[in-house]
Amino acid sequence: GAGVSQSPRYKVAKRGQDVALRCDPISGHVSLFWYQQALGQGPEFLTYFQNEAQLDKSGLPSDRFFAERPEGSVSTLKIQRTQQEDSAVYLCASSLQAGGYNEQFFGPGTRLTVL
Amino acid sequence: AQSVTQLGSHVSVSEGALVLLRCNYSSSVPPYLFWYVQYPNQGLQLLLKYTSAATLVKGINDFEAEFKKSETSFHLTKPSAHMSDAAEYFCAVSGVNAGNMLTFGGGTRLMVKP
């Protein structure tokens, strides 16, 4: 079956531009996570959705970052007024159920480069 | 708060040799522990996970890991390395509650020499 997909795979933005990153989770998966992976580092948590509810956004680095999942399936991560430090790979993951023991299935990521 | 430390950002082994990738964690509650592998330009793929059942966990591609509570460790091993094992490996910890995110270590890049 289809896994988690993300688009675009690569995005180049000029500093100050707004960007929108899309995540299509596995159908029927309740939980959806966004992570940020800087070059040479492990992924770091950004935000978590259970269905359409954003239950944890403690990892979002600033108020320029905004995420939504309005119908409990597709999610969009939006970054306003991009800065060079936003350059990273943004990973989306979904899991069938809530609960930390559940496997998270990851998409291929969107590599964002801010010039 | 949870954290994960992976000793050795780069590990090099010869093809056919034992693979040992180290992971130590800290957690205020009994953790769930995971090993993921990441190939270039791909997402993370689960190798194995520990969820408080058997302490020796077997995963895909002959990888296994042993949970040692007294040492707060969850090291990953494979008896014989293949060239195709060359990749980045991440150890991660999660709590028990709904929405518990994964906290990752910094990763270990495994290189396999012919």
Side-chain angles (χ1 to χ4, degrees):
Chain A
V4 178
S5 61
Q6 294 186 245
S7 60
R9 289 293 312 277
Y10 303 90
K11 177 69 178 178
V12 178
K14 293 183 179 179
R15 191 173 59 181
Q17 283 185 330
D18 297 348
V19 298
L21 312 180
R22 177 187 170 106
C23 172
D24 285 80
I26 295 173
S27 178
H29 277 200
V30 166
S31 296
L32 185 145
F33 299 81
W34 283 98
Y35 294 88
Q36 180 189 59
Q37 186 176 20
L39 187 63
Q41 298 183 23
E44 293 189 349
F45 169 77
L46 293 176
T47 187
Y48 164 69
F49 290 86
Q50 185 173 317
N51 297 307
E52 69 278 4
Q54 188 175 22
L55 299 185
D56 188 347
K57 53 182 180 180
S58 62
L60 296 177
S62 77
D63 59 7
R64 296 186 295 104
F65 286 71
F66 171 77
E68 60 183 5
R69 193 187 185 197
E71 298 179 356
S73 55
V74 171
S75 177
T76 304
L77 176 67
K78 298 179 180 178
I79 309 174
Q80 297 176 325
R81 304 180 304 281
T82 52
Q83 304 294 315
Q84 285 188 326
E85 61 262 28
D86 299 335
S87 295
V89 176
Y90 290 85
L91 296 168
C92 176
S94 69
S95 64
L96 181 61
Q97 298 174 335
Y101 51 86
N102 287 287
E103 177 183 357
Q104 292 185 25
F105 294 82
F106 283 81
T110 294
R111 182 178 298 276
L112 173 65
T113 303
V114 182
L115 303 177
Chain B
Q2 299 169 326
S3 67
V4 176
T5 302
Q6 292 184 240
L7 290 177
S9 60
H10 292 79
V11 169
S12 181
V13 300
S14 298
E15 192 173 19
L18 172 72
V19 175
L20 171 61
L21 304 182
R22 300 179 185 274
C23 172
N24 289 87
Y25 69 92
S26 67
S27 175
S28 57
V29 297
Y32 297 122
L33 292 159
F34 304 79
W35 275 99
Y36 280 86
V37 61
Q38 187 176 37
Y39 297 99
N41 297 318
Q42 295 186 27
L44 285 80
Q45 178 184 1
L46 182 68
L47 282 176
L48 49 79
K49 66 178 182 180
Y50 167 76
T51 56
S52 75
T55 57
L56 181 62
V57 181
K58 294 187 181 298
I60 61 172
N61 299 336
D62 295 327
F63 282 96
E64 64 180 37
E66 186 172 9
F67 172 67
K68 292 186 176 180
K69 184 178 179 180
S70 61
E71 299 178 6
T72 61
S73 70
F74 191 57
H75 301 329
L76 181 71
T77 61
K78 180 172 180 176
S80 176
H82 290 207
M83 297 296 292
S84 60
D85 294 326
E88 188 89 18
Y89 291 80
F90 292 96
C91 181
V93 63
S94 178
V96 302
N97 296 322
N100 276 165
M101 76 292 289
L102 293 168
T103 299
F104 287 88
T108 297
R109 180 165 299 278
L110 176 66
M111 295 167 284
V112 182
K113 300 176 292 187

